[in-house]
Amino acid sequence: MAVRGIVPLCLRPGRVRRPRRAAGEIVRGAAASVGPVFRAAALVPSPPLLVPELTGRASVVDSLAGEVVRLRDAARAAVAMLGTATDRWIVIGSAEKSTRISSRSGGTFAGYGVDVRVGLSADSVTDEEELPLAALIAGWLRGEVAPQAAADVVLVGTDTPLERCRSVGEALRAEMDEQAGDWGLLVVADGATTLTAKAPGSFDARAEGVQSQIDDALARADTDALASIDRGLCAELGVDGWEAWQTLAGVVGARPMAARTLYRGAPFGVGYFVGTWEPLS
């Protein structure tokens, strides 16, 4: 079924120990130019369990209920910051094919078990649209903490090369500059799905090291470090956020950023990172 509002883009249970920064710690990163209209970025993962109605009664969820609440609260806080800074957003995620979704679009989590309806703006139409998970998560978080915001969604294809991801990000920055006003970015992306034996992708001993690289780079807003992470290895480990993070790097360019980590962990064997990036004045 075709998704209304989508036009061609021209341009995932156990914890894993790894080095952590304290939640809320601000780190100055040399992400190496962003126009003054770019105000902030929020980085969140896409587990449907962020939505309380979707938690169900599974024992594994019950045993990790506290961790799920911490993850959910962190995601809400990151997006609330974005909503304080600006009410015009571009959501960046990844998908099989590159697409763009209008802020007038809406959808439902019915495919995940409960008909929780969400929209990408106050004017969105939520009747029976089949939105990708990244767009649904963005719509739910917007409705929770920043209902005044309007968000277009840009999904970058999973076969997009590094330089193309960066050029898409640069084009998005130019788009923001041309339209003026204040803009924010909401990046919806997950890490490795292979961090424990019960993870969706099973266990891979290489995953913890790669996930630590990803988390450390995001915690420092270090776009050079992100670019150095092996894309082929990420694909083998189930990392679906690679393209989204590289596109974010293209938007940011060379401007130093203040990075804040709100959550990093793997409660279901999937690497989740929540944080914010803000340009340094």
Side-chain angles (χ1 to χ4, degrees), residues 39-42 77-87 89 146 183-186 276:
R39 297 304 182 194
V79 178
M81 179 281 296
L82 194 63
T84 298
T86 176
D87 57 10
W89 303 350
W183 287 86
L185 298 175
L186 175 54
T276 62

Side-chain angles (χ1 to χ4, degrees), residues 38 40-46 50 74-83 86 88-94 119-120 133-143 145-146 149-155 172 176 183-189 244-245 247-248 251 273-277:
F38 170 69
L43 289 68
V44 302
S46 67
L50 284 177
R76 282 174 167 154
V79 178
M81 179 281 296
L82 194 63
T86 176
R88 302 177 71 188
W89 303 350
I90 293 177
V91 179
I92 301 175
S94 61
L120 295 173
L133 181 58
L136 290 171
I137 291 294
W140 180 76
L141 285 167
R142 183 206 66 83
V145 299
D152 286 342
V153 179
V154 173
L155 301 177
L172 290 174
M176 289 187 282
W183 287 86
L185 298 175
L186 175 54
V187 183
V188 184
W245 294 320
T247 303
L248 167 65
V251 176
F273 181 92
V274 180
T276 62
W277 292 9

Side-chain angles (χ1 to χ4, degrees), residues 242-274:
W242 189 91
E243 294 80 13
W245 294 320
Q246 300 300 342
T247 303
L248 167 65
V251 176
V252 168
R255 184 168 180 174
M257 309 292 287
R260 183 188 295 269
T261 298
L262 299 178
Y263 181 93
R264 57 187 287 179
F268 298 96
V270 180
Y272 297 143
F273 181 92
V274 180

Side-chain angles (χ1 to χ4, degrees), residues 12-18 20 45 47 49 60-61 63-64 67-68 71 190-212 214-215 234 236-240 263-273:
R12 272 142 316 271
R15 290 181 62 102
V16 175
R17 291 185 179 179
R18 54 184 183 275
R20 295 173 181 264
L49 290 176
V60 65
V61 174
S63 66
L64 292 170
E67 193 69 13
V68 171
L71 173 60
D190 298 340
T193 62
T194 49
L195 287 163
T196 67
K198 293 184 178 180
S202 288
F203 176 73
D204 190 309
R206 302 170 295 173
E208 183 174 351
V210 171
Q211 188 63 45
S212 291
I214 293 170
D215 288 346
C234 282
E236 293 177 14
L237 298 175
V239 178
D240 80 353
Y263 181 93
R264 57 187 287 179
F268 298 96
V270 180
Y272 297 143
F273 181 92

Side-chain angles (χ1 to χ4, degrees), residues 21 27-31 213 215-222 225 257 259 277:
R21 294 189 185 275
V27 180
R28 295 192 173 194
Q213 283 184 277
D215 288 346
D216 289 345
L218 296 176
R220 299 192 303 265
D222 189 338
M257 309 292 287
W277 292 9

